[in-house]
Amino acid sequence: MSTQPSQVLGVIPARWGSTRFPGKPLHLIAGKPLVQHVWDRCLECTMLSTVTVATDDERIAAAVEAFGGHVTMTRSDHPSGTDRAAEVASAFPEMSHVINIQGDEPLIDPGLIDSLAAALIADPGLPMITAANQLVASDPLLNDPNVVKVTITADGHALYFSRSLIPHPRSVPEDLVYYRHKGIYGFRRDFLFDFVRWEPSLLERTENLEQLRALENGARIRVVLTDDTSPGVDTPEQAAILQELLSQ
């Protein structure tokens, strides 16, 4: 029996109503809207069959169409980016896998996106994948609750994600390594729809981390280690730093 070749959908969520930075996707950095930088990075990928910007805002949609991007309009009441990605995926029934790419990471490494997609396709039993990079023990980000940490099994799957420092260093072995979670997710199509049907879980609601819903329901999450430490943009101050960096 023949099977259809795998096809990977890249979804870039972009919403207007950021609490700390309203209108963030359209903020100009080095002459281009923030979301366009992410779009351009995705176009460098070789594993994405289709890329679309998911938004519920007509201003963002118009800007994306103006620079030649593809837009999928979504509902405005989604509780998470994963729910928004699932709505978009339902409009692309031919896609076997979905990569949810943060719309506020203008320096995201296209190679990382490709590696997540390739790992998903290579393991048909793998439901979900994400990425992390190493943090040194002296890094002040370790104690920042806005920086999500992850612990990883010996075979490369997530044990737990937390805003707290994990593992707690009651003793400090010489080979202790901390990992910062990078907010990019890949899903097998059927699992993505299962995920959004589950109720938000206790740990998810406690830490405000949607990926914990998958772990609480017994799903494996592969963690790809990466050297990509590209910063996200959460505030106008961070945008100004990136403006200077990209202008150089």
Side-chain angles (χ1 to χ4, degrees), residues 177-196:
V177 175
Y178 291 103
Y179 293 102
R180 175 182 185 173
H181 177 229
K182 194 168 184 64
I184 182 172
Y185 299 101
F187 303 90
R188 198 179 63 222
R189 180 186 183 84
D190 61 330
F191 176 77
L192 175 58
F193 294 130
D194 286 342
F195 182 100
V196 297

Side-chain angles (χ1 to χ4, degrees), residues 4 12 33 47 52 73 86 126 138 158 172 177 183 216 225 232 234:
Q4 294 295 320
I12 306 171
M47 296 294 296
T52 189
M73 298 300 295
L126 182 63
S138 60
V172 185
V177 175
E216 284 193 82
L225 299 183
D234 293 317

Side-chain angles (χ1 to χ4, degrees), residues 151-159 179 222-223 225:
T151 51
I152 306 171
T153 65
D155 63 348
H157 294 88
L159 272 171
Y179 293 102
R222 174 85 53 80
V223 182
L225 299 183

Side-chain angles (χ1 to χ4, degrees), residues 39 44 52 60 71 75 84-85 102 107 124 133 139 141 143 165 167 178-179 184 196 198 207 210-211 222:
W39 174 269
E44 295 180 35
T52 189
I60 295 174
V71 176
R75 303 198 320 265
R84 192 178 305 278
Q102 297 299 316
L107 300 180
N133 54 263
D139 197 315
L141 293 177
N143 294 302
L165 177 59
Y178 291 103
Y179 293 102
I184 182 172
V196 297
W198 294 330
E207 296 251 22
E210 62 187 295
Q211 63 269 37
R222 174 85 53 80

Side-chain angles (χ1 to χ4, degrees), residues 35-64:
V35 69
Q36 186 177 355
H37 287 280
V38 182
W39 174 269
D40 290 344
R41 292 276 174 157
C42 289
L43 292 187
E44 295 180 35
C45 295
T46 61
M47 296 294 296
L48 298 180
S49 309
T50 300
V51 181
T52 189
V53 175
T55 188
D56 58 0
D57 190 276
E58 295 290 349
R59 292 164 292 186
I60 295 174
V64 172

